[in-house]
Amino acid sequence: MMKSDKQLKPLGEIANIVMGLSPKGDTYNKNGVGDPLLNGPTEFGARHPTPTLFTTDPSRFAKPGDILFCVRGSTTGRMNWADRQYAIGRGIAAVSAKTDSTDTYFIYSCIRHTLDRILALTSGSVFPSLSTGDFNAYPIAWPDQNVRHGIVHILRSLDDKIELNRRMNRTLERMAQAVFKSWFIDFDPVHAKADGRDTGLPNHIAALFPDTFQDSELGQIPEGWSAKPLDEIVHINPTRKLAKGTIAPFLEMSNMPTKGPSPASWRLRAMGSGMKFVNGDTLVARITPCLENGKTAFVDFLQGSEVGWGSTEYIVLRPVDTIPPVFAYLLARSEEFRGFAIPQMTGSSGRQRIPPKSLHKYQLASPDIGSPVFQAIGELVQPFFTRIRASMNQNRRLAGLRDTLLPKLLSGELEVPEAEELIEDLI
């Protein structure tokens, strides 16, 4: 990475590293009592974690501005930033430069860029772990301060643009989910018309909804609709053809998003044993804890009629007939669907999964399959997904540029002013 090994320093020499220590189990709670507790990253690619556990007897802490680095388990190597004080369990190390916050960001960038080398130091095939000694001894590029700070200015500009795109995407998805919930779960347009209120929808869309309700096994649903089992609305694990040994896009479970429709990355790999999918399919992780964590993706990253593949632990969903493909994704992300699916898991502790056939029992209030209501929701929310896909594509380009620039800046092949001109139009 550097012109000279003299510019490499052990991480423990330039950074404060706090290795987490888990509190006693009986001090845990989900009620917000005590300090927020982290045992691992909560969302791949997220800038800050979202704690779900708290402890009244913390042992080790991360302070605001620390790098949160996962050192244990299947998510070893993933990172977040601490936006507050956290109690950290055994799976997390808190890292901060001994100098200043800008250097902390520099260390973060160097770790991210050489992550494969760090992961090669882990031991344990089933439950990989990074030892304290290896983490402290890991060599980090360390040019003079002016160079470090100039590099951080470039990388942070790109990272901020990536984060801005992520926030916009989260907003767009919330808007799409709100439409789905309003129409198919809460029946807001029907309630409004029944009460004589404005639906807030364009007249031609409002006219698609009735103004009365009828009884069903799901309770009160819109007049003329019916409670349909999932397999009448969505194909479950539809047939896709991909010959064994064919090199094709492969989406591994670790890259499945827990929030948002688009995976951050995938790779080419010879087809072996796994679920196959095409653009417009929705993938749902069916195994614990991936299902509970929300691992779900909308496939829109393949080229044309290309077929991709992934884990055998995916369930593939595709709406029937003319129902828009994004409908299956919105359904799979809904609290109601997840609330049904999670209790359907069977099997031994720690390896529970949903049998695909059990999803046939899920019912949704729906108009006739050919109803223009489906076309209307597709026309309304598809532009959101188009913008999300464009932002994700831009993020991949920005991340690729960022990762290309760092070694060039460190080696002196590219100067900071040159890099600033290069990225000016992008940010």
Side-chain angles (χ1 to χ4, degrees):
M1 178 183 289
M2 301 293 298
K3 286 182 176 179
S4 170
D5 287 344
K6 293 180 181 179
Q7 292 180 293
L8 296 173
K9 292 192 176 182
L11 180 59
E13 183 179 323
I14 59 177
N16 299 307
I17 302 175
V18 179
M19 302 297 282
L21 183 64
S22 299
K24 294 179 180 179
D26 58 4
T27 70
Y28 290 19
N29 70 89
K30 295 184 178 182
N31 303 318
V33 179
D35 290 278
L37 172 65
L38 296 177
N39 290 310
T42 57
E43 180 187 349
F44 178 70
R47 180 165 288 193
H48 302 300
T50 305
T52 58
L53 287 175
F54 295 80
T55 178
T56 55
D57 187 23
S59 301
R60 305 275 173 85
F61 293 96
K63 62 183 184 298
D66 283 356
I67 303 165
L68 301 168
F69 185 89
C70 186
V71 295
R72 191 168 181 263
S74 61
T75 53
T76 297
R78 292 193 182 176
M79 293 185 284
N80 298 127
W81 287 96
D83 57 337
R84 67 188 95 168
Q85 177 174 285
Y86 290 96
I88 52 174
R90 223 177 129 192
I92 290 288
V95 182
S96 61
K98 292 182 178 180
T99 47
D100 57 35
S101 60
T102 302
D103 280 342
T104 299
Y105 207 96
F106 181 82
I107 291 170
Y108 169 85
S109 300
C110 289
I111 290 175
R112 177 175 59 191
H113 184 69
T114 62
L115 189 57
D116 286 346
R117 298 182 204 172
I118 296 179
L119 295 179
L121 300 173
T122 60
S123 58
S125 58
V126 177
F127 207 72
S129 298
L130 180 65
S131 73
T132 302
D134 284 340
F135 200 35
N136 274 274
Y138 186 74
I140 294 290
W142 203 247
D144 68 58
Q145 187 182 64
N146 288 338
V147 173
R148 297 197 305 269
H149 286 201
I151 290 173
V152 165
H153 174 71
I154 297 295
L155 301 182
R156 184 172 265 159
S157 296
L158 293 169
D159 281 339
D160 286 347
K161 176 60 176 174
I162 290 171
E163 180 62 21
L164 179 64
N165 283 344
R166 284 177 180 149
R167 289 202 299 268
M168 182 185 73
N169 286 351
R170 286 193 288 269
T171 298
L172 291 170
E173 178 164 2
R174 283 195 293 267
M175 292 167 63
Q177 290 287 0
V179 174
F180 175 84
K181 188 173 189 297
S182 174
W183 291 17
F184 287 89
I185 304 298
D186 297 333
F187 315 127
D188 289 333
V190 184
H191 282 291
K193 293 179 76 170
D195 296 342
R197 294 181 284 109
D198 184 5
T199 64
L201 298 171
N203 290 338
H204 71 283
I205 294 180
L208 302 177
F209 292 90
D211 57 8
T212 56
F213 288 89
Q214 66 185 33
D215 290 329
S216 77
E217 54 263 55
L218 296 177
Q220 290 276 295
I221 64 173
E223 184 74 30
W225 290 27
S226 61
K228 289 184 171 59
L230 183 66
D231 61 337
E232 288 188 16
I233 302 172
V234 172
H235 296 297
I236 302 172
N237 290 341
T239 300
R240 307 285 185 237
K241 293 183 178 180
L242 186 65
K244 194 166 186 177
T246 302
I247 303 298
F250 174 76
L251 177 62
E252 51 198 322
M253 185 68 80
S254 61
N255 285 331
M256 275 278 277
T258 56
K259 293 181 181 178
S262 301
S265 63
W266 55 92
R267 59 192 173 94
L268 294 177
R269 180 173 165 181
M271 170 64 191
S273 174
M275 300 302 295
K276 298 177 281 290
F277 49 80
V278 298
N279 276 342
D281 287 349
T282 290
L283 309 178
V284 179
R286 71 187 187 110
I287 192 169
T288 189
C290 299
L291 174 63
E292 296 95 324
N293 292 342
K295 284 183 174 285
T296 306
F298 181 68
V299 180
D300 61 0
F301 51 85
L302 302 175
Q303 300 297 315
S305 58
E306 194 173 39
V307 179
W309 68 290
S311 171
T312 56
E313 302 295 356
Y314 294 159
I315 291 177
V316 182
L317 305 177
R318 179 76 174 222
V320 303
D321 298 330
T322 57
I323 298 178
V326 293
F327 186 87
Y329 174 79
L330 295 172
L331 173 62
R333 279 283 186 211
S334 69
E335 292 181 4
E336 289 72 18
F337 178 84
R338 288 170 48 76
F340 169 86
I342 292 172
Q344 299 297 314
M345 290 191 293
T346 61
S348 59
S349 177
R351 299 301 295 174
Q352 294 183 319
R353 51 178 58 83
I354 305 173
K357 287 185 178 180
S358 70
L359 292 181
H360 293 211
K361 296 182 289 186
Y362 180 77
Q363 291 191 319
L364 178 72
S366 166
D368 292 338
I369 298 302
S371 169
V373 171
F374 288 113
Q375 180 182 353
I377 194 171
E379 292 174 352
L380 196 59
V381 304
Q382 183 57 55
F384 300 155
F385 284 83
T386 300
R387 289 176 63 188
I388 289 172
R389 183 178 65 233
S391 292
M392 288 300 296
N393 287 340
Q394 184 184 50
N395 278 1
R396 293 181 190 109
R397 291 193 297 271
L398 291 171
L401 176 60
R402 176 196 66 202
D403 296 341
T404 300
L405 287 177
L406 180 57
K408 294 180 181 295
L409 288 165
L410 286 172
S411 67
E413 180 182 343
L414 188 67
E415 299 295 332
V416 169
E418 295 176 286
E420 288 176 334
E421 291 182 10
L422 187 63
I423 70 171
E424 184 176 354
D425 292 338
L426 296 175
I427 61 175

